[in-house]
Amino acid sequence: MAIHVAITRRILPGKEQEFKESLRNFLGQSFIHEGVQGAAIISSFPGADNNEIGILRTFKDEKERDEFYNSEQFNRWEAYASTLTEPAVYRQLTGLEAWFRSSTPPPRWKMAIATLCGVFPTSLFLFYATGWLLIDLPAPFRLLITATLMVGVLTWIVMPMVIKILKAWLTIRNPH
């Protein structure tokens, strides 16, 4: 089963450009490692703290993840990157946590409510926007097309907006 790891780094002042360029190079080179299935850079929203950057990595499985993080290539990168950033925060993502980028994810019940806030209107929109186009297709094909559209719209459009809108609520911690 694929393993997703989120890394958050706060770049030291004046080192932003150097870090971002070296990160882009390292991400490209990291695909030499056979177990790396994906890597993405998540920049801050406009107007947010520009010194924080997120990195999402996907590995084939735990063995490949461990081999990558124990590799000479990664250790060289980590030694260099640590001169440009504060210590990195690593966490493995499971399920909904992949949409909720922070060093401590919100409680699962909050993630579920936020996801429902994205899924329900998106499913209504897709039903009315594409339902009439897909009506003559067999049910499995309709569902496959709808699910594919749903995942794409949620991943790149809806959930980033929902998370931005609900950020304050999602990050409030119960003091008890």
Side-chain angles (χ1 to χ4, degrees):
M1 189 163 92
I3 303 292
H4 307 282
V5 177
I7 304 107
T8 305
R9 298 191 92 111
R10 185 168 301 280
I11 307 166
L12 297 174
K15 303 289 186 177
E16 295 87 358
Q17 194 60 35
E18 182 181 354
F19 177 76
K20 289 177 182 179
E21 286 177 18
S22 65
L23 176 59
R24 280 190 212 73
N25 291 334
F26 174 67
L27 287 183
Q29 295 167 4
S30 68
F31 283 95
I32 293 170
H33 183 85
E34 191 175 311
V36 174
Q37 293 185 332
I41 299 172
I42 301 173
S43 298
S44 301
F45 289 112
D49 178 2
N50 288 336
N51 286 358
E52 185 177 278
I53 197 159
I55 304 156
L56 290 174
R57 286 197 171 278
T58 302
F59 299 94
K60 180 180 172 186
D61 53 32
E62 289 180 6
K63 178 181 175 281
E64 296 293 343
R65 177 204 58 208
D66 294 345
E67 284 181 13
F68 175 79
Y69 285 123
N70 290 318
S71 71
E72 183 180 329
Q73 177 192 30
F74 176 77
N75 289 325
R76 278 194 315 267
W77 156 253
E78 185 63 27
Y80 175 68
S82 67
T83 67
L84 305 174
T85 69
E86 293 176 6
V89 176
Y90 289 81
R91 59 186 185 95
Q92 189 164 307
L93 302 179
T94 56
L96 297 176
E97 291 172 346
W99 276 332
F100 300 89
R101 184 181 140 238
S102 72
S103 58
T104 53
R108 287 187 182 269
W109 67 270
K110 285 187 176 185
M111 290 190 283
I113 290 171
T115 303
L116 181 62
C117 288
V119 169
F120 181 67
T122 303
S123 62
L124 282 176
F125 169 76
L126 290 175
F127 174 79
Y128 289 112
T130 66
W132 62 276
L133 291 169
L134 307 175
I135 194 74
D136 293 330
L137 294 176
F141 291 117
R142 283 195 320 255
L143 292 172
L144 175 64
I145 291 168
T146 302
T148 301
L149 291 170
M150 175 74 77
V151 169
V153 170
L154 285 172
T155 300
W156 286 288
I157 301 169
V158 174
M159 287 310 293
M161 288 189 315
V162 168
I163 301 308
K164 185 177 183 180
I165 292 167
L166 298 179
K167 184 176 183 173
W169 176 72
L170 288 166
T171 57
I172 292 172
R173 293 284 173 198
N174 186 350
H176 301 289

